[in-house]
Amino acid sequence: MLRRKVVPLRVGFALIVACIAVFTLANGASASSAVTAANHAARHELTAVKAAVLGAVEGVTEYLPVSSTGHLLIAERLMDVGATKATKDVADTYTVVIQAGAILAVLVLFWKRIVEVLKGLIGRSVEGRRLLIVLLLGFIPAAIAGAVGEKKIKAHLLAPIPVTIAWAVGAAAILLVGTRLHQQGKTTGRSITEITNREAMIIGVAQILALWPGTSRSLVTILAALMIGLSLSAAVEFSFLLGLLTLGAATAKDLVSNGKQMFDAYGVVNPTIGFVVAFIAAMIAIRWMLQYLQRHSLNVFAYYRFAAAAITIVLLAAGTISNSI
């Protein structure tokens, strides 16, 4: 038993070291760039403490059905990170890149299932190949929608008021259907290996709703999976595994497109701090959520979302944060 627990931790540690090495190499590759006034402003905005706070926010909220995007948006504004046009893009890239820490947490916690998928990829596991297919089918709809609508989403929806609306709507959805689906999933649901191609596509289409900041990718995929008859544990696991593809693609895209600018602005230390804190926080949050949902309904997340929406309205009314895009 001890050996079984040590293996994924060793893998996680090795991947952390590898990611830090990549960050360091990327930073070294960009070191010859001139340090601009915008880079100085960005480094002043994102201190080590702020990097750690944003990493914690990302790790805790990424897989809970409360929306990491919404939380990061509000946290950035409260801490004046990305507060100017010159620093906004690199700050947004930072919050996407630290998702890698949360992704790594899923790789560690679900490493057996991921190994099975990799075996399926090379033709050594029928079950793994089947799961790989349904994960890809679940990933495609949101990938296409995101590629087509990314600019419009950022231009019109990436602001506190749209996030507040999404928090409240998601909370209502949990209270209206979440509890019933949760109970059905605990007693009569099917396993993750029984997902059909059609059902995977349904979950994938539902994931498109999460492109609206504040909705929560975890929430819509878990509810969709429960609606098609999966067990609670299967719905949560499929949501997390699907997140590896969705979040991994988004992280890779932003790192390739804007990674150099981010490292020019922030160096390697602060992104590394955010990445490691996000990994640790996600490990804790995922473990807690898996245990909590075995004994309780999703209602606590609805109440939390209503509270987050209310607090954001107060912050907007007080002028503490603005609704500007």
Side-chain angles (χ1 to χ4, degrees), residues 6-316:
V6 169
V7 171
L9 291 176
R10 286 178 177 173
V11 172
F13 178 74
L15 289 172
I16 288 175
V17 172
C19 288
I20 292 174
V22 170
F23 287 173
T24 304
L25 289 172
N27 184 58
S30 64
S32 61
S33 301
V35 179
T36 65
N39 290 345
H40 279 299
R43 292 200 183 201
H44 176 73
E45 284 183 357
L46 187 72
T47 63
V49 172
K50 291 180 180 179
V53 170
L54 289 174
V57 170
E58 161 61 28
V60 170
T61 61
E62 184 58 65
Y63 292 102
L64 301 185
V66 296
S67 175
S68 62
T69 303
H71 281 80
L72 287 168
L73 175 70
I74 302 303
E76 279 185 323
R77 299 199 176 200
L78 287 173
M79 295 188 294
D80 290 326
V81 176
T84 68
K85 290 183 178 180
T87 60
K88 187 177 186 304
D89 287 343
V90 291
D92 289 345
T93 297
Y94 172 79
T95 57
V96 172
V97 168
I98 58 173
Q99 287 179 162
I103 293 169
L104 179 59
V106 172
L107 286 172
V108 173
L109 292 173
F110 292 91
W111 71 281
K112 287 185 178 180
R113 185 71 78 179
I114 292 163
V115 168
E116 194 69 25
V117 170
L118 293 176
K119 287 181 179 179
L121 181 63
I122 60 176
R124 295 182 58 186
S125 169
V126 174
E127 182 178 300
R129 180 175 178 273
R130 180 79 209 122
L131 183 54
L132 175 61
I133 290 171
V134 295
L135 285 171
L136 289 173
L137 290 173
F139 165 71
I140 290 171
I144 294 173
V148 172
E150 180 183 16
K151 291 183 179 179
K152 289 186 177 180
I153 290 168
K154 288 185 175 180
H156 300 289
L157 298 178
L158 200 58
I161 287 180
V163 165
T164 300
I165 293 170
W167 269 332
V169 171
I174 291 174
L175 294 179
L176 288 173
V177 301
T179 302
R180 177 172 56 83
L181 293 174
H182 176 274
Q183 293 301 323
Q184 289 178 353
K186 286 179 69 174
T187 57
T188 62
R190 294 176 289 119
S191 73
I192 194 171
T193 59
E194 298 176 273
I195 300 175
T196 66
N197 291 352
R198 176 177 173 274
E199 290 170 342
M201 290 293 290
I202 290 173
I203 297 173
V205 171
Q207 191 176 208
I208 294 175
L209 296 174
L211 293 174
W212 184 303
T215 302
S216 173
R217 190 201 60 79
S218 292
L219 174 63
V220 295
T221 52
I222 289 172
L223 290 183
L226 290 172
M227 288 180 70
I228 63 173
L230 292 189
S231 69
L232 175 63
S233 60
V236 172
E237 184 177 7
F238 189 77
S239 173
F240 288 177
L241 294 175
L242 185 57
L244 289 179
L245 292 178
T246 306
L247 301 176
T251 301
K253 178 181 178 296
D254 250 47
L255 194 56
V256 170
S257 301
N258 304 306
K260 181 179 181 299
Q261 292 88 335
M262 184 194 70
F263 286 117
D264 282 342
Y266 296 147
V268 68
V269 175
N270 287 347
T272 300
I273 290 172
F275 166 79
V276 173
V277 172
F279 167 73
I280 296 170
M283 288 279 287
I284 295 170
I286 292 170
R287 286 181 179 275
W288 173 82
M289 180 178 174
L290 292 174
Q291 294 176 359
Y292 181 86
L293 290 181
Q294 294 304 316
R295 304 185 302 275
H296 304 88
S297 72
L298 292 163
N299 285 0
V300 66
F301 300 110
Y303 304 139
Y304 177 87
R305 291 172 70 102
F306 277 133
I311 290 171
T312 302
I313 291 172
V314 171
L315 292 173
L316 286 167

